[in-house]
Short mmCIF file of all heavy atoms in Angstrom, two decimals:
data_model
loop_
_atom_site.label_atom_id
_atom_site.label_comp_id
_atom_site.label_asym_id
_atom_site.label_seq_id
_atom_site.Cartn_x
_atom_site.Cartn_y
_atom_site.Cartn_z
N ILE A 82 -13.95 56.35 64.96
CA ILE A 82 -12.78 55.48 65.03
C ILE A 82 -11.63 56.19 64.30
O ILE A 82 -11.86 56.95 63.36
CB ILE A 82 -13.04 54.07 64.44
CG1 ILE A 82 -13.52 54.13 63.01
CG2 ILE A 82 -14.00 53.29 65.31
CD1 ILE A 82 -13.66 52.77 62.34
N PRO A 83 -10.40 55.98 64.73
CA PRO A 83 -9.26 56.68 64.11
C PRO A 83 -9.08 56.31 62.63
O PRO A 83 -9.51 55.23 62.19
CB PRO A 83 -8.06 56.20 64.93
CG PRO A 83 -8.65 55.77 66.24
CD PRO A 83 -9.99 55.21 65.91
N ASP A 84 -8.46 57.21 61.90
CA ASP A 84 -8.15 56.96 60.49
C ASP A 84 -7.36 55.67 60.34
O ASP A 84 -6.57 55.30 61.21
CB ASP A 84 -7.31 58.10 59.90
CG ASP A 84 -8.12 59.37 59.68
OD1 ASP A 84 -9.36 59.29 59.69
OD2 ASP A 84 -7.50 60.43 59.48
N ASP A 85 -7.57 55.00 59.23
CA ASP A 85 -6.84 53.79 58.85
C ASP A 85 -7.04 52.63 59.82
O ASP A 85 -6.19 51.76 59.95
CB ASP A 85 -5.34 54.09 58.67
CG ASP A 85 -5.07 55.10 57.57
OD1 ASP A 85 -5.92 55.23 56.66
OD2 ASP A 85 -4.03 55.75 57.62
N THR A 86 -8.18 52.60 60.47
CA THR A 86 -8.51 51.46 61.32
C THR A 86 -8.96 50.31 60.43
O THR A 86 -9.71 50.50 59.48
CB THR A 86 -9.65 51.83 62.31
OG1 THR A 86 -9.17 52.85 63.19
CG2 THR A 86 -10.09 50.63 63.13
N TYR A 87 -8.48 49.12 60.75
CA TYR A 87 -8.84 47.95 59.95
C TYR A 87 -9.21 46.79 60.86
O TYR A 87 -8.95 46.81 62.06
CB TYR A 87 -7.71 47.57 58.99
CG TYR A 87 -6.41 47.25 59.67
CD1 TYR A 87 -6.10 45.94 60.04
CD2 TYR A 87 -5.47 48.25 59.94
CE1 TYR A 87 -4.90 45.65 60.66
CE2 TYR A 87 -4.27 47.96 60.56
CZ TYR A 87 -3.99 46.67 60.92
OH TYR A 87 -2.81 46.37 61.55
N LEU A 88 -9.80 45.78 60.27
CA LEU A 88 -10.24 44.60 61.01
C LEU A 88 -9.08 43.62 61.15
O LEU A 88 -8.47 43.24 60.16
CB LEU A 88 -11.42 43.93 60.30
CG LEU A 88 -12.63 44.83 60.08
CD1 LEU A 88 -13.71 44.08 59.29
CD2 LEU A 88 -13.18 45.35 61.39
N GLN A 89 -8.82 43.22 62.39
CA GLN A 89 -7.69 42.33 62.67
C GLN A 89 -8.10 40.88 62.86
O GLN A 89 -7.34 39.98 62.51
CB GLN A 89 -6.94 42.80 63.92
CG GLN A 89 -6.21 44.08 63.73
CD GLN A 89 -5.41 44.44 64.97
OE1 GLN A 89 -5.92 44.42 66.08
NE2 GLN A 89 -4.15 44.79 64.78
N SER A 90 -9.25 40.64 63.46
CA SER A 90 -9.67 39.27 63.71
C SER A 90 -11.19 39.22 63.84
O SER A 90 -11.85 40.24 63.95
CB SER A 90 -9.00 38.71 64.96
OG SER A 90 -9.43 39.42 66.10
N TYR A 91 -11.70 37.98 63.82
CA TYR A 91 -13.14 37.76 63.90
C TYR A 91 -13.42 36.58 64.82
O TYR A 91 -12.75 35.55 64.74
CB TYR A 91 -13.70 37.47 62.50
CG TYR A 91 -15.16 37.13 62.47
CD1 TYR A 91 -16.11 38.12 62.67
CD2 TYR A 91 -15.58 35.83 62.25
CE1 TYR A 91 -17.47 37.80 62.64
CE2 TYR A 91 -16.93 35.51 62.22
CZ TYR A 91 -17.86 36.50 62.42
OH TYR A 91 -19.20 36.21 62.39
N ASP A 92 -14.41 36.73 65.69
CA ASP A 92 -14.82 35.66 66.58
C ASP A 92 -16.21 35.17 66.15
O ASP A 92 -17.20 35.88 66.36
CB ASP A 92 -14.86 36.17 68.02
CG ASP A 92 -15.23 35.09 69.02
OD1 ASP A 92 -15.70 34.00 68.60
OD2 ASP A 92 -15.05 35.33 70.22
N PRO A 93 -16.31 33.98 65.55
CA PRO A 93 -17.61 33.50 65.07
C PRO A 93 -18.60 33.21 66.20
O PRO A 93 -19.81 33.22 65.98
CB PRO A 93 -17.27 32.22 64.31
CG PRO A 93 -15.95 31.78 64.82
CD PRO A 93 -15.24 33.02 65.26
N ASP A 94 -18.12 32.99 67.41
CA ASP A 94 -19.02 32.73 68.54
C ASP A 94 -19.79 33.98 68.96
O ASP A 94 -20.95 33.89 69.37
CB ASP A 94 -18.24 32.19 69.75
CG ASP A 94 -17.67 30.81 69.49
OD1 ASP A 94 -18.27 30.05 68.70
OD2 ASP A 94 -16.62 30.50 70.07
N THR A 95 -19.15 35.12 68.85
CA THR A 95 -19.80 36.37 69.26
C THR A 95 -20.20 37.26 68.09
O THR A 95 -20.99 38.18 68.26
CB THR A 95 -18.86 37.19 70.17
OG1 THR A 95 -17.70 37.55 69.41
CG2 THR A 95 -18.46 36.40 71.41
N GLY A 96 -19.62 37.00 66.90
CA GLY A 96 -19.87 37.87 65.75
C GLY A 96 -19.09 39.17 65.84
O GLY A 96 -19.37 40.11 65.12
N GLU A 97 -18.11 39.22 66.74
CA GLU A 97 -17.33 40.45 66.94
C GLU A 97 -16.03 40.43 66.14
O GLU A 97 -15.35 39.41 66.06
CB GLU A 97 -16.99 40.65 68.41
CG GLU A 97 -18.14 41.13 69.24
CD GLU A 97 -17.72 41.48 70.65
OE1 GLU A 97 -16.67 41.02 71.12
OE2 GLU A 97 -18.47 42.23 71.29
N TYR A 98 -15.73 41.60 65.62
CA TYR A 98 -14.45 41.84 64.97
C TYR A 98 -13.57 42.63 65.94
O TYR A 98 -14.07 43.49 66.67
CB TYR A 98 -14.62 42.70 63.71
CG TYR A 98 -15.30 42.02 62.57
CD1 TYR A 98 -16.69 42.02 62.47
CD2 TYR A 98 -14.57 41.40 61.57
CE1 TYR A 98 -17.32 41.42 61.41
CE2 TYR A 98 -15.19 40.79 60.51
CZ TYR A 98 -16.58 40.80 60.43
OH TYR A 98 -17.19 40.20 59.37
N THR A 99 -12.29 42.37 65.90
CA THR A 99 -11.34 43.19 66.63
C THR A 99 -10.76 44.19 65.64
O THR A 99 -10.31 43.81 64.56
CB THR A 99 -10.22 42.33 67.25
OG1 THR A 99 -10.83 41.37 68.13
CG2 THR A 99 -9.24 43.20 68.03
N MET A 100 -10.79 45.45 66.04
CA MET A 100 -10.26 46.52 65.20
C MET A 100 -8.81 46.82 65.59
O MET A 100 -8.39 46.52 66.70
CB MET A 100 -11.08 47.81 65.36
CG MET A 100 -12.54 47.67 65.01
SD MET A 100 -13.44 49.25 65.12
CE MET A 100 -13.36 49.59 66.89
N SER A 101 -8.11 47.48 64.69
CA SER A 101 -6.72 47.85 64.96
C SER A 101 -6.62 49.07 65.87
O SER A 101 -5.53 49.38 66.36
CB SER A 101 -5.99 48.13 63.65
OG SER A 101 -6.59 49.22 62.97
N SER A 102 -7.73 49.75 66.13
CA SER A 102 -7.74 50.94 66.99
C SER A 102 -8.98 50.91 67.88
O SER A 102 -9.92 50.17 67.63
CB SER A 102 -7.77 52.22 66.14
OG SER A 102 -6.65 52.30 65.31
N THR A 103 -8.98 51.77 68.87
CA THR A 103 -10.08 51.86 69.82
C THR A 103 -11.04 52.98 69.43
O THR A 103 -10.60 54.07 69.06
CB THR A 103 -9.52 52.12 71.23
OG1 THR A 103 -8.62 51.05 71.55
CG2 THR A 103 -10.61 52.18 72.27
N ALA A 104 -12.32 52.71 69.56
CA ALA A 104 -13.35 53.71 69.23
C ALA A 104 -13.32 54.87 70.23
O ALA A 104 -13.07 54.68 71.41
CB ALA A 104 -14.73 53.06 69.24
N THR A 105 -13.60 56.06 69.73
CA THR A 105 -13.63 57.25 70.58
C THR A 105 -15.03 57.57 71.07
O THR A 105 -15.22 58.40 71.94
CB THR A 105 -13.06 58.47 69.84
OG1 THR A 105 -13.83 58.67 68.65
CG2 THR A 105 -11.60 58.26 69.50
N ASP A 106 -16.05 56.91 70.46
CA ASP A 106 -17.43 57.11 70.88
C ASP A 106 -18.25 55.93 70.36
O ASP A 106 -17.81 55.18 69.50
CB ASP A 106 -17.99 58.42 70.33
CG ASP A 106 -19.18 58.94 71.12
OD1 ASP A 106 -19.65 58.24 72.05
OD2 ASP A 106 -19.66 60.05 70.82
N THR A 107 -19.46 55.81 70.86
CA THR A 107 -20.37 54.75 70.43
C THR A 107 -21.07 55.18 69.15
O THR A 107 -21.42 56.36 68.99
CB THR A 107 -21.40 54.46 71.54
OG1 THR A 107 -20.68 54.03 72.70
CG2 THR A 107 -22.40 53.40 71.13
N ASP A 108 -21.28 54.21 68.24
CA ASP A 108 -22.00 54.50 67.00
C ASP A 108 -22.58 53.21 66.45
O ASP A 108 -22.36 52.13 67.02
CB ASP A 108 -21.09 55.18 65.98
CG ASP A 108 -21.84 56.23 65.16
OD1 ASP A 108 -23.06 56.07 64.95
OD2 ASP A 108 -21.21 57.20 64.73
N TYR A 109 -23.30 53.31 65.32
CA TYR A 109 -24.07 52.18 64.82
C TYR A 109 -23.85 51.84 63.35
O TYR A 109 -24.69 51.17 62.75
CB TYR A 109 -25.56 52.43 65.08
CG TYR A 109 -25.83 52.65 66.54
CD1 TYR A 109 -25.94 53.94 67.06
CD2 TYR A 109 -25.94 51.57 67.41
CE1 TYR A 109 -26.17 54.14 68.41
CE2 TYR A 109 -26.16 51.76 68.76
CZ TYR A 109 -26.28 53.05 69.26
OH TYR A 109 -26.49 53.23 70.60
N TYR A 110 -22.74 52.27 62.76
CA TYR A 110 -22.49 51.95 61.36
C TYR A 110 -21.00 52.06 61.05
O TYR A 110 -20.25 52.72 61.75
CB TYR A 110 -23.27 52.87 60.42
CG TYR A 110 -22.76 54.30 60.45
CD1 TYR A 110 -21.81 54.74 59.53
CD2 TYR A 110 -23.21 55.21 61.41
CE1 TYR A 110 -21.32 56.04 59.57
CE2 TYR A 110 -22.73 56.50 61.46
CZ TYR A 110 -21.78 56.91 60.53
OH TYR A 110 -21.29 58.19 60.57
N ILE A 111 -20.61 51.42 59.96
CA ILE A 111 -19.25 51.55 59.41
C ILE A 111 -19.36 51.60 57.90
O ILE A 111 -20.33 51.14 57.31
CB ILE A 111 -18.32 50.38 59.81
CG1 ILE A 111 -18.91 49.04 59.35
CG2 ILE A 111 -18.02 50.39 61.29
CD1 ILE A 111 -17.94 47.88 59.41
N TYR A 112 -18.35 52.18 57.29
CA TYR A 112 -18.18 52.13 55.85
C TYR A 112 -16.94 51.28 55.57
O TYR A 112 -15.84 51.68 55.91
CB TYR A 112 -17.93 53.52 55.26
CG TYR A 112 -19.16 54.39 55.17
CD1 TYR A 112 -19.46 55.29 56.18
CD2 TYR A 112 -19.99 54.32 54.07
CE1 TYR A 112 -20.57 56.10 56.10
CE2 TYR A 112 -21.12 55.13 53.98
CZ TYR A 112 -21.40 56.02 54.99
OH TYR A 112 -22.50 56.82 54.91
N PRO A 113 -17.09 50.10 54.96
CA PRO A 113 -15.91 49.35 54.53
C PRO A 113 -15.28 50.05 53.33
O PRO A 113 -15.99 50.50 52.43
CB PRO A 113 -16.47 47.98 54.12
CG PRO A 113 -17.88 47.95 54.62
CD PRO A 113 -18.32 49.37 54.74
N THR A 114 -13.95 50.18 53.32
CA THR A 114 -13.28 50.82 52.18
C THR A 114 -12.24 49.86 51.61
O THR A 114 -12.56 48.71 51.36
CB THR A 114 -12.66 52.19 52.58
OG1 THR A 114 -11.60 51.98 53.51
CG2 THR A 114 -13.69 53.13 53.17
N VAL A 115 -11.05 50.31 51.42
CA VAL A 115 -10.00 49.49 50.80
C VAL A 115 -9.48 48.45 51.79
O VAL A 115 -9.86 48.44 52.95
CB VAL A 115 -8.82 50.38 50.30
CG1 VAL A 115 -9.29 51.33 49.22
CG2 VAL A 115 -8.16 51.12 51.44
N LEU A 116 -8.61 47.60 51.30
CA LEU A 116 -7.92 46.63 52.15
C LEU A 116 -6.52 47.15 52.46
O LEU A 116 -5.94 47.90 51.66
CB LEU A 116 -7.81 45.28 51.45
CG LEU A 116 -9.13 44.59 51.10
CD1 LEU A 116 -8.88 43.39 50.22
CD2 LEU A 116 -9.86 44.19 52.37
N VAL A 117 -5.96 46.75 53.58
CA VAL A 117 -4.60 47.19 53.92
C VAL A 117 -3.61 46.75 52.85
O VAL A 117 -2.58 47.41 52.65
CB VAL A 117 -4.15 46.71 55.32
CG1 VAL A 117 -4.98 47.36 56.41
CG2 VAL A 117 -4.17 45.21 55.44
N THR A 118 -3.91 45.68 52.14
CA THR A 118 -3.01 45.23 51.07
C THR A 118 -2.98 46.19 49.89
O THR A 118 -2.07 46.10 49.06
CB THR A 118 -3.42 43.82 50.57
OG1 THR A 118 -4.79 43.87 50.14
CG2 THR A 118 -3.25 42.78 51.65
N GLN A 119 -3.91 47.12 49.82
CA GLN A 119 -3.92 48.12 48.76
C GLN A 119 -3.15 49.38 49.15
O GLN A 119 -2.86 50.22 48.29
CB GLN A 119 -5.37 48.48 48.38
CG GLN A 119 -6.09 47.31 47.74
CD GLN A 119 -7.58 47.56 47.60
OE1 GLN A 119 -8.27 47.82 48.59
NE2 GLN A 119 -8.07 47.50 46.38
#
Side-chain angles (χ1 to χ4, degrees):
I82 57 175
D84 287 345
D85 298 336
T86 296
Y87 59 91
L88 303 177
Q89 291 183 311
S90 65
Y91 176 74
D92 182 347
D94 293 331
T95 63
E97 284 187 340
Y98 290 87
T99 301
M100 301 184 294
S101 62
S102 300
T103 302
T105 58
D106 202 355
T107 299
D108 216 330
Y109 302 98
Y110 69 93
I111 58 167
Y112 284 95
T114 66
V115 298
L116 298 171
V117 294
T118 56
Q119 294 169 303

